[in-house]
Amino acid sequence: MNAEGRTRLDQMPEWQALAKHREELGDTHLRTLFAEDPDRGRRYALRVGDLYLDYSKHLVTDETLRLLRELARATGVTRLRDAMFRGEKINVTEHRAVLHTALRTPESATVSVDGENVVPKVHAVLRKMAVFADKVREGHWTGHTGKRIRTVVNIGIGGSDLGPAMAYEALRPYTRRDMQFRFVSNVDGADLHEAVRDLDPAETLFIVASKTFTTIETITNAKAARSWLLDGLGADESAVARHFVAVSTNAAKVAEFGIDTDNMFAFWDWVGGRYSYDSAIGLSLMAAIGPERFGEMLAGFHLVDEHFRTAPAEANAPLLLGLLGVWYGGFHGAQSHAVLPYSHYFSRFTAYLQQLDMESNGKSTDRAGHPVAWQTGPVVWGTPGTNGQHAYYQLLHQGTRMIPADLIGFAEPVAELGALRGQHDLLMANLFAQGQALAFGRTAEEVRAEGVPEEQVPHRTFPGNRPTTTILAEELTPSVLGQLVALYEHKVFVQGAVWDIDSFDQWGVELGKVLAKQIEPALTDGADVSGLDASTSALVERYRALRGR
Ligand code: F6P
């Protein structure tokens, strides 16, 4: 029993029942499960808003799903979910509410944190963002020399970069094509250099996005961007106000940087960085797609929030996806999870999910501070199909590891593609084929029947039984993007709740930051390295020698 009075996960009868059930299932093949239930493809499917989820190709039976739901009940997933939506401080290590759902709630709703309804201020910021975004889009926001803004550069990192950058790519067909939107995150000067080298400072606007406004990468890049701007314009500090705006929870630091706080867009400590692109952190995205489309995206998020909050366990998509991950990590030894979108516009989607999932659930201490004895968050990875098929899918099909995967596709290609829309059926045929091959494989008998020489048969046999979820939507619209992101957000929530970890802190990123601060002086001013470990001090000495220091 932990300090919160919860029995350890692996000692719960519901967990043990799943372990027993796993043994009983043994190697039961998806071929058998489909043969036993011809309707499985339709029965194991859910509709949520515009999303169709096929989970029939999972190594589960009705009994598995029932036992998983029992585990969710026993671990208090619903209780924690309701506490989150109510604004309780479920981020226990930071004593914070977790209310990204309030960012997309209609204005008529009430969501209270410490007795204050936060919905009015969410909508006040959305309106301020809309006014600003429209001014930039329509050319009414002019730079220091009076020229209209042609390029918006978002400077941020982690949650202050990945969300807007991913959504910008995903929604490119909805963006103003006569403007450019760029995203700078890496403290490697090459990132900023490549982003601005062909730009006219007079037509460039920087959005400095940082929840804390203390993140070293972002502040370093923002300072460098300010120098680039002022040098390029030959102007003094007074030019900054027309070319820099900020998104932050920290007005004092924004003012200290020299950005007028009238040009600051606020959000709040109850929004986690990786859950923040539907807050003011999405300002660059709103400038790209416009307030109306941004509103459609928020409505998509809200639709899935409401589904997660109200749908019964048997039909609750985030609950189901979360529990399937628990099943594979806990009872099949799966270490990783592939997200394979069949959309070129989703080129950053998996990178976005990596932070969402791995920063949330990459934990090994339970909410009461004890080490956990079960697997928590998987390694999330993947790139858009079909490129991956010609690279790493070999391992998915015939490697020694089980890697559950999500295959995501859209029925309708974007209108703008014109004649290239004709290629879409081929793209989607590949998606469906991969799910099929991973699930059912190809037996030695089938290979032999094709006349394959005997010595090649083992090499050309596919074991199958590799689980996938297929998520199909009609079209990649702003609303559908919001629905998909909310689906994953709540999936991650469910898993954190079952695993009894705090999905909303990220202490694991701190040590590297502290050490980098200690090491930097040794690189630049030759400070003594004797306090460093033998490997790091040798590396620092080598680096200094290479730099002639
Ligand atoms: O260091 C990790 C982290 O705190 C992320 O959680 C966050 O999204 C990122 O850094 C950026 O933080 P900020 O928005 O405060 O600059």
Side-chain angles (χ1 to χ4, degrees):
M1 184 129 355
N2 76 17
E4 287 179 327
R6 185 178 133 160
T7 305
R8 269 180 52 149
L9 180 62
D10 55 351
Q11 288 169 4
M12 287 183 175
E14 292 78 6
W15 183 268
Q16 287 160 2
L18 276 159
K20 185 161 168 279
H21 174 69
R22 168 72 186 93
E23 263 179 49
E24 284 159 7
L25 275 184
D27 295 333
T28 306
H29 202 283
L30 280 168
R31 284 173 176 249
T32 312
L33 296 177
F34 272 82
E36 282 171 3
D37 177 7
D39 203 30
R40 185 176 166 101
R42 280 182 186 77
R43 215 160 60 76
Y44 279 19
L46 277 179
R47 265 172 218 269
V48 183
D50 297 309
L51 310 178
Y52 177 84
L53 265 83
D54 170 4
Y55 60 96
S56 61
K57 297 192 189 82
H58 279 287
L59 309 182
V60 295
T61 61
D62 288 356
E63 178 65 356
T64 322
L65 296 172
R66 189 187 68 75
L67 291 171
L68 285 168
R69 287 194 297 270
E70 281 298 302
L71 182 70
R73 193 193 44 72
T75 52
V77 174
T78 310
R79 218 173 28 249
L80 196 67
R81 175 198 69 189
D82 294 344
M84 172 176 77
F85 277 95
R86 270 199 307 271
E88 285 176 28
K89 297 195 172 157
I90 64 161
N91 176 352
V92 286
T93 72
E94 296 180 314
H95 310 290
R96 287 179 180 167
V98 173
L99 269 182
H100 41 280
T101 50
L103 298 168
R104 53 260 192 156
T105 203
E107 205 161 2
S108 52
T110 300
V111 182
S112 297
V113 181
D114 292 330
E116 183 202 0
N117 179 15
V118 298
V119 178
K121 57 187 190 184
V122 166
H123 282 267
V125 172
L126 281 171
R127 277 191 289 274
K128 182 174 170 177
M129 289 165 67
V131 169
F132 172 78
D134 277 337
K135 275 192 191 163
V136 172
R137 289 163 62 79
E138 302 312 323
H140 301 316
W141 180 285
T142 50
H144 181 64
T145 66
K147 284 190 173 177
R148 68 175 292 175
I149 297 301
R150 299 258 170 222
T151 305
V152 174
V153 181
N154 186 81
I155 300 180
I157 197 165
S160 300
D161 166 72
L162 287 163
M166 174 281 287
Y168 169 70
E169 289 301 331
L171 300 176
R172 254 179 196 258
Y174 295 88
T175 61
R176 265 200 88 118
R177 297 293 203 171
D178 58 348
M179 292 181 66
Q180 299 202 59
F181 296 87
R182 295 182 181 178
F183 297 85
V184 172
S185 54
N186 199 328
V187 77
D188 182 344
D191 198 359
L192 181 63
H193 169 73
E194 291 296 336
V196 300
R197 55 179 289 282
D198 57 347
L199 298 182
D200 176 357
E203 298 181 340
T204 304
L205 176 83
F206 292 97
I207 298 178
V208 185
S210 174
K211 179 174 170 180
T212 55
F213 230 76
T214 56
T215 305
I216 190 84
E217 291 91 338
T218 299
I219 301 307
T220 304
N221 276 326
K223 284 182 181 160
R226 184 172 58 188
S227 302
W228 172 85
L229 178 96
L230 298 182
D231 290 351
L233 291 177
D236 62 21
E237 288 285 324
S238 65
V240 169
R242 303 300 307 164
H243 293 270
F244 276 83
V245 300
V247 180
S248 188
T249 58
N250 191 342
K253 288 279 174 198
V254 169
E256 195 182 302
F257 181 85
I259 296 176
D260 186 345
T261 45
D262 281 350
N263 295 336
M264 173 182 143
F265 299 82
F267 66 116
W268 308 275
D269 74 358
W270 39 264
V271 182
R274 53 194 173 273
Y275 298 86
S276 69
Y277 97 81
D278 46 351
S279 72
I281 289 292
L283 186 62
S284 51
L285 175 67
M286 191 193 269
I289 64 173
E292 200 177 319
R293 297 299 195 186
F294 196 87
E296 289 167 17
M297 184 186 76
L298 295 184
F301 272 100
H302 182 63
L303 186 154
V304 172
D305 291 345
E306 284 303 283
H307 164 83
F308 179 48
R309 199 173 65 78
T310 60
E314 301 73 38
N316 195 307
L319 181 72
L320 172 75
L321 295 186
L323 291 173
L324 287 170
V326 169
W327 173 236
Y328 293 119
F331 303 96
H332 285 268
Q335 300 279 329
S336 84
H337 183 94
V339 179
L340 310 169
Y342 279 68
S343 165
H344 187 69
Y345 291 114
F346 258 23
S347 61
R348 303 296 309 280
F349 190 69
T350 309
Y352 170 77
L353 290 186
Q354 282 180 323
Q355 188 199 13
L356 175 66
D357 199 323
M358 294 164 79
E359 200 170 71
S360 295
N361 285 343
K363 315 278 165 69
S364 50
T365 305
D366 74 15
R367 290 161 65 84
H370 306 122
V372 298
W374 44 91
Q375 277 206 41
T376 60
V379 176
V380 176
W381 61 282
T383 50
T386 58
N387 297 2
Q389 291 175 207
H390 295 272
Y392 51 78
Y393 275 42
Q394 165 67 40
L395 184 146
L396 296 184
H397 286 287
Q398 290 187 317
T400 50
R401 292 162 215 279
M402 173 207 265
I403 303 180
D406 297 345
L407 302 165
I408 304 172
F410 304 94
E412 196 64 43
V414 307
E416 192 181 292
L417 296 186
L420 294 171
R421 286 166 57 88
Q423 296 179 196
H424 195 70
D425 289 342
L426 180 56
L427 173 71
M428 291 302 289
N430 273 279
L431 182 160
F432 297 132
Q434 290 301 324
Q436 194 184 3
L438 286 163
F440 306 112
R442 176 142 296 179
T443 62
E445 293 68 48
E446 286 167 340
V447 176
R448 268 186 210 108
E450 286 169 356
V452 168
E454 193 54 33
E455 72 275 14
Q456 280 192 10
V457 168
H459 301 284
R460 294 173 66 167
T461 299
F462 288 66
N465 228 19
R466 305 194 170 205
T468 54
T469 304
T470 303
I471 304 178
L472 189 61
E474 186 183 338
E475 207 181 331
L476 177 45
T477 61
S479 168
V480 164
L481 178 65
Q483 292 173 44
L484 275 168
V485 173
L487 179 70
Y488 279 98
E489 284 178 349
H490 298 317
K491 169 198 161 175
V492 166
F493 174 90
V494 167
Q495 296 185 335
V498 172
W499 290 325
D500 197 18
I501 53 179
D502 185 340
S503 299
F504 302 100
D505 60 17
Q506 56 285 318
W507 300 106
V509 299
E510 294 306 320
L511 178 61
K513 291 184 192 173
V514 171
L515 295 181
K517 254 194 207 147
Q518 287 168 9
I519 291 171
E520 196 194 0
L523 303 184
T524 51
D525 63 16
D528 182 22
V529 293
S530 57
L532 298 175
D533 66 87
S535 163
T536 311
S537 63
L539 286 166
V540 167
E541 274 165 9
R542 182 78 191 135
Y543 175 84
R544 288 204 299 225
L546 290 168
R547 297 289 310 263
R549 288 173 178 159

